[in-house]
Amino acid sequence: MSLGSFFYPKSAAVIGASNEKGSVGYTIMQNFLRGKMPKKAYPVNPKHAKIQGKRSYRSVGEIPGKVELAVIVVPAKIVPIVLGECAVKKVKAVIIISAGFSEVGEYGLAKEIEEIVGKNPGMRVMGPNCIGVLVPENGLDSTFFQGDRMCRPKAGNVSFISQSGALGAVLLDWASGQEFGLGKFISYGNAVDVDEADLLGYLAKDKKSKVIAMYMEGAKDGRKFFEYAKKVSKKTPIVMIKGGKAEETRKATMSHTGSLAGSSKVYDAVFEQSGIIQAGGLIELFALAKILENEPLPKGNRVQIITNGGGFGIVTADAVIGNGLKLAKMSAKSKARLKKGVPNTVTVGNPMDLVGDAGTKRYVNAVEAALKDKNVDMVVVVVLFNTPTLGDDIVGAMARLRKTARKPMVVLSIGSEFTRKKIKRMEEGGITTFHYPEIAAVSLKALADYAAFRKQS
Amino acid sequence: MSLGSFFYPKSAAVIGASNEKGSVGYTIMQNFLRGKMPKKAYPVNPKHAKIQGKRSYRSVGEIPGKVELAVIVVPAKIVPIVLGECAVKKVKAVIIISAGFSEVGEYGLAKEIEEIVGKNPGMRVMGPNCIGVLVPENGLDSTFFQGDRMCRPKAGNVSFISQSGALGAVLLDWASGQEFGLGKFISYGNAVDVDEADLLGYLAKDKKSKVIAMYMEGAKDGRKFFEYAKKVSKKTPIVMIKGGKAEETRKATMSHTGSLAGSSKVYDAVFEQSGIIQAGGLIELFALAKILENEPLPKGNRVQIITNGGGFGIVTADAVIGNGLKLAKMSAKSKARLKKGVPNTVTVGNPMDLVGDAGTKRYVNAVEAALKDKNVDMVVVVVLFNTPTLGDDIVGAMARLRKTARKPMVVLSIGSEFTRKKIKRMEEGGITTFHYPEIAAVSLKALADYAAFRKQS
C-alpha cells in the first residue's frame, strides 16, 4: 500500500472538526479549507449542522463521495469507533491526532486500534498521538498549531520525519525563520501502523525529498528499520537526531511515545552500518541536511580555506582539523600563480589569508585556483563583509563560481544586518552558507563521510 | 602603570586623521568627535589645516594641552618617529593601529618600536596591527569599521579581549544583533607592550567586566600569562577560544599576529590549572560568557529539566548527560506534592513533562518545587510557546521566579517571530535563555565546572 494518500489526497474528512477557534478540530479544518490540497474537505461532527460554513456530517459514512484521507481528532475513547467507520468507508489514509493511548498506559484502547488496523490492510493509519503531515508544496496541513504560533516553512527538498510532534512543530517554526525549504514533514507518533521504515521507503521514491532529516526515539521494528535505512541511504542521505541516547533518558521515552528506545550502542552500530548520519544536536540536524541537499559529494576530505580575516581563518582551520578533515595542500603551480599580483601581506597557504584589504578579484582568483586544484576536495570561503574594501560584487562572483563548481564550496560569514542581507542573497544565489566555523566543519565532515559511504556501497 | 587611559581618556589625538571618508583615519577621528569620550579630540596631519572641521596639528607635540591617549594610523615606516614624539609629549596611552611589522617580517621596524617602548615606561603602547578599544559605556571607539558594516553592541558586563582584530570586529558586529551587552572590547594585536596578561590584570579590577571572553593565539609571555590568569579567574571567570590549536594551524598564527602559538597540550594544561574555561567554538564563546555573567554559581551538577514538549525534554536530557552533568532526582515529598492537581499525562520525573496543554500555573508549581528541592542544583525550563494553552503570563511568572532563585535557572526555547519576541522579553526580565539544548547543556557544564574551581581555590 503506497502512502501517497497521506500527502496528495483529493478528498479529506476531519472527524471532530470544530467551530471553536484555536481548537485542534478548528485549525485543521481551517487549514484543509484554505490549502490547494485536499480539493474536497468534509467536516464530521454530529453536534453541528455546519462547521466553518460547510455542511457537517454525522459520520464519515454519511459523506456522499469518496474520502481518501481522514484526520481523527476526537477523544481517545471514541477513536476505535470512528476508525472502524473509516474502514467501512474504504478511506485509504487515516491520521489519528488524538492522544491518550499506550503512551499513558491505556493499552486496552491501543489494542482495539491495532485490531482494526490488522483487519484492514487497505487502510493505512498514522499515529495516534501525532500531529500528522505538512506538505508546503500543496498546502496540505494537519499540524494543528495556529499560524502565528507555528510558521510554516516554504517548499523545498529536505523532508523531516519526527516521532515527536512537539519537537517537530517547534523545529518547523524555527526553520521557517531560517529561509529553510521543506519537502514533507511527518509526525507519526506511536506508530500503530505506519512506522519510520515505511516513511523512509516512501520518501526514498519522492522527488521532493533529496535529504531526509529525522528525529526518532525508538524504531518500532528494529530489523525492518535497519533494512529500509540501509537501502534508502544509498540514494537519499538520512540525518538523524536520536532521542533517548543516555541510559536514563531511554526510560523517559516510554511515557512519551510509548516506545522504549533501544540501547544507544545498538543504535550507533545500526546507524553506522546503514550510512545514517548522526547529528550532534539540533543546530547540526538542519546544517547537515542543508549541506547534503545543496553540495555535490566530494572525492576526499581535503579542505582549502580562503579568508579575508586571519583569526577567522585560523579558527576555521582548527575546526576543520578538529573534526577529522585535512587541510589541503595546493600544488606548487597553483601557489606560484596565485602569488603573482597580490601584496606580500597575503599568505598563499592554508588557510589562505587574502587579508583585510582583499577585493572581489583577489577572492575570485583564489577560489578559482582552489576549485581547479586536484589536491583540493572542498572549499570554504570565509567572507567577512565588514572590511571597507570588499565590494558588493563578491555576492554575484561567488554565486557564478558556485554554479560551475564540481566540488563542495561553502561560504562562512557572520555579522548583523549588513552582513545578513548579503548572506541571504548568497543563499538565494545557490550558495550554502554557514555562520560558525564549528558548524561548517562538522557539516563538511558529514558530507565527506557520506560520500565515502556511497563510494563503498 | 594603569591602563585606564586607554578606556577613559579625557583628551586624545588621532595621528594620521583624515578627511577621506571611509578611511581608517577618518572613521576614528569621526568616532572621537562624536562619542562622550574623549572629551577633547585633536587631529594630527601635517598635510591639512583642518580635519573634519577641526584645526589639524602638524605633530602631537604641537597640541597645546595634555594628550592622554594617542591613536596612530600612519604607515608603518613613520610609526617609530611619531611614537617618539608621543613619548616626548608624555602621552600615557598609545594605540598603534598600523600594520606591517613582525607579522610580515619587518623585524627592523618592530625592533625600533620596542626600543622606544623600553625607554619610556610611563607610556603604555597597544598594538601594532590592532583595532584598539571600544567602550560602549562612554562611546570611546578606535575600531575603524564603518558603522553600517560593524554595529556596536550596547553597554553590558562582558569584556572581550581579541588578539585578532578582524575576528574581534566580526564578533562585535554579530553580538550587536544578539542584544548582547559589552563592558570593554580590546584588540591588542602584536602586543609590543600591553599584552593579554596586562589586560586581564586591568579587567579583573574593572567593575564593568564581570566576565572576560578572550580570543588568543599565543601568549606573549607564557609564564606571566599563567600567573595573571590564575589570580584573575579566582574572581572573574575567563572564557577562552584558543586559535592555532591544531599543529598545522600554529604555523599560520605566525604570519597573522607575529606570535607563534604554543603547543595545544601545554595550553590545555595551563588553562585547566588556571581555571580558564575553554569554549568549543564561536557559538559557545558568548553562550558561556552569558551564563557566567547572569547566573549564580551552582552547588553541584544535578540538573532538573521541566518541559511542555516531551521530545524536546528528552533531547535536552541527552545533552545534559552527554556533557557530564547529572539528572537531578527530586525528593519523594516534592514529587508527591507536584502530582496533586495535574492530569495523569504529566510525568513527574526528570525530564518533568508538563505536556502540551500546560499553562503558566503548572509551570510555576514545577519550577518553584525544583528551586526549593535540595536535590536540584540547576533548573532548565523548556518553554515551547507554540502550544495553544500557554498564556503570555508565563514570561512575567518566570522572571519573578528568576529574581528570587538562588540557583541557576535558564529557559530553553526556539521558534520564529512569535517565540522570538517572548524570548526577548524573558531576557529583558533577567532570564538567561538558550535556543539549543546542546548549547544550554555545555553552558551549564561550564558554570558547574567554574563553580567547582572556585570552591577548591
Side-chain angles (χ1 to χ4, degrees), chain B residues 3 5-6 32 73 157 173 220 224 309 311 327-328 337 444:
Chain B
L3 303 179
S5 296
F6 283 104
F32 276 22
V73 301
N157 295 304
D173 183 32
K220 197 189 165 199
K224 180 181 169 191
L327 291 186
R337 207 181 300 142
L444 289 171

Side-chain angles (χ1 to χ4, degrees), chain A residues 369-387:
Chain A
L371 288 173
K372 273 183 202 158
D373 198 301
K374 280 182 183 167
N375 298 338
V376 174
D377 299 313
M378 301 184 266
V379 183
V380 178
V381 191
V382 178
V383 185
L384 305 183
F385 285 106
N386 51 7
T387 62

Side-chain angles (χ1 to χ4, degrees), chain B residues 3 195-206 212 228 232:
Chain B
L3 303 179
D195 63 15
E196 44 285 309
D198 295 326
L199 292 168
L200 283 181
Y202 177 78
L203 293 180
K205 289 174 192 155
D206 178 36
I212 301 169
Y228 275 65
V232 171

Side-chain angles (χ1 to χ4, degrees), chain A residues 145 148-149 151 170 173-174 244-246 249 256 281-283 311 314 317-318 385-387 414-416 418 436 438, chain B residues 145 148-149 151 170 173-174 244-246 249 256 281-283 311 314 317-318 385-387 390 414-416 418 436 438:
Chain A
F145 291 87
D148 59 335
R149 293 193 171 214
C151 297
V170 81
D173 182 34
W174 169 80
K245 287 212 78 152
T249 53
H256 180 226
L282 296 187
I283 307 178
I314 286 165
D318 280 340
F385 285 106
N386 51 7
T387 62
I414 189 171
S416 61
F418 181 83
Y436 304 102
E438 60 267 34
Chain B
F145 291 87
D148 60 335
R149 295 193 169 214
C151 298
V170 81
D173 183 32
W174 168 81
K245 285 213 80 152
T249 52
H256 181 227
L282 296 186
I283 307 178
I314 286 165
D318 280 340
F385 286 105
N386 51 8
T387 62
L390 193 58
I414 188 171
S416 61
F418 181 82
Y436 305 101
E438 61 268 34

Side-chain angles (χ1 to χ4, degrees), chain A residues 50-114:
Chain A
K50 288 203 165 191
I51 297 280
Q52 296 184 38
K54 295 279 263 180
R55 186 196 152 174
S56 174
Y57 296 91
R58 295 173 58 83
S59 73
V60 72
E62 228 186 34
I63 296 170
K66 279 186 186 169
V67 175
E68 197 173 348
L69 169 73
V71 180
I72 297 177
V73 302
V74 300
K77 275 187 229 168
I78 316 170
V79 168
I81 301 166
V82 299
L83 185 64
E85 290 171 351
C86 287
V88 173
K89 180 73 183 172
K90 306 255 182 259
V91 174
K92 288 184 177 164
V94 180
I95 299 172
I96 307 175
I97 303 284
S98 321
F101 300 88
S102 53
E103 83 278 11
V104 290
E106 288 281 2
Y107 297 107
L109 283 173
K111 192 92 190 142
E112 279 186 64
I113 293 183
E114 262 172 47

Side-chain angles (χ1 to χ4, degrees), chain A residues 69-343:
Chain A
L69 169 73
V71 180
I72 297 177
V73 302
V74 300
K77 275 187 229 168
I78 316 170
V79 168
I81 301 166
V82 299
L83 185 64
E85 290 171 351
C86 287
V88 173
K89 180 73 183 172
K90 306 255 182 259
V91 174
K92 288 184 177 164
V94 180
I95 299 172
I96 307 175
I97 303 284
S98 321
F101 300 88
S102 53
E103 83 278 11
V104 290
E106 288 281 2
Y107 297 107
L109 283 173
K111 192 92 190 142
E112 279 186 64
I113 293 183
E114 262 172 47
E115 277 168 20
I116 299 169
V117 166
K119 283 179 196 159
N120 297 279
M123 174 177 77
R124 298 302 307 264
V125 179
M126 193 180 286
N129 187 23
C130 74
I131 63 171
V133 300
L134 172 68
V135 187
E137 170 204 355
N138 63 26
L140 186 77
D141 185 355
S142 79
T143 70
F144 51 81
F145 291 87
Q146 290 147 274
D148 59 335
R149 293 193 171 214
M150 189 194 94
C151 297
R152 272 64 171 174
K154 61 180 181 184
N157 295 304
V158 172
S159 285
F160 177 29
I161 305 174
S162 178
Q163 192 162 11
S164 162
L167 187 91
V170 81
L171 290 184
L172 281 185
D173 182 34
W174 169 80
S176 73
Q178 306 289 314
E179 294 281 321
F180 200 81
L182 207 85
K184 288 170 181 66
F185 166 76
I186 307 143
S187 142
Y188 64 97
N190 296 11
V192 67
D193 173 24
V194 174
D195 64 12
E196 44 286 309
D198 296 326
L199 292 168
L200 283 180
Y202 176 79
L203 293 180
K205 289 172 192 156
D206 177 37
K207 281 178 189 164
K208 300 282 174 182
S209 302
K210 287 191 190 165
V211 178
I212 301 169
M214 204 164 170
Y215 172 73
M216 183 174 84
E217 291 173 0
K220 196 188 166 200
D221 178 340
R223 188 161 295 278
K224 181 181 168 192
F225 174 75
F226 182 37
E227 270 168 31
Y228 275 65
K230 235 182 350 188
K231 214 178 286 172
V232 170
S233 65
K234 274 175 195 158
K235 203 193 131 212
T236 310
I238 303 168
V239 185
M240 172 73 72
I241 182 150
K242 169 77 174 63
K245 287 212 78 152
E247 200 54 40
E248 286 166 279
T249 53
R250 279 178 61 201
K251 295 170 213 154
T253 64
M254 187 63 206
S255 60
H256 180 226
T257 47
S259 67
L260 187 62
S263 109
S264 179
K265 273 185 192 165
V266 171
Y267 273 104
D268 284 347
V270 164
F271 293 161
E272 203 191 320
Q273 282 173 48
S274 56
I276 288 180
I277 304 137
Q278 283 199 74
L282 296 187
I283 307 178
E284 287 181 22
L285 182 66
F286 284 99
L288 301 196
K290 183 161 98 166
I291 202 167
L292 285 157
E293 179 195 353
N294 291 332
E295 297 301 315
L297 294 179
K299 285 191 178 152
N301 65 355
R302 299 164 303 172
V303 179
Q304 176 65 45
I305 298 161
I306 294 161
T307 183
N308 64 339
F312 215 93
I314 286 165
V315 170
T316 305
D318 280 340
V320 159
I321 296 166
N323 275 286
L325 298 167
K326 281 183 179 155
L327 290 185
K329 283 173 187 160
M330 281 176 72
S331 72
K333 217 171 127 188
S334 304
K335 281 184 173 180
R337 208 182 299 140
L338 275 172
K339 267 183 187 156
K340 284 179 199 163
V342 291

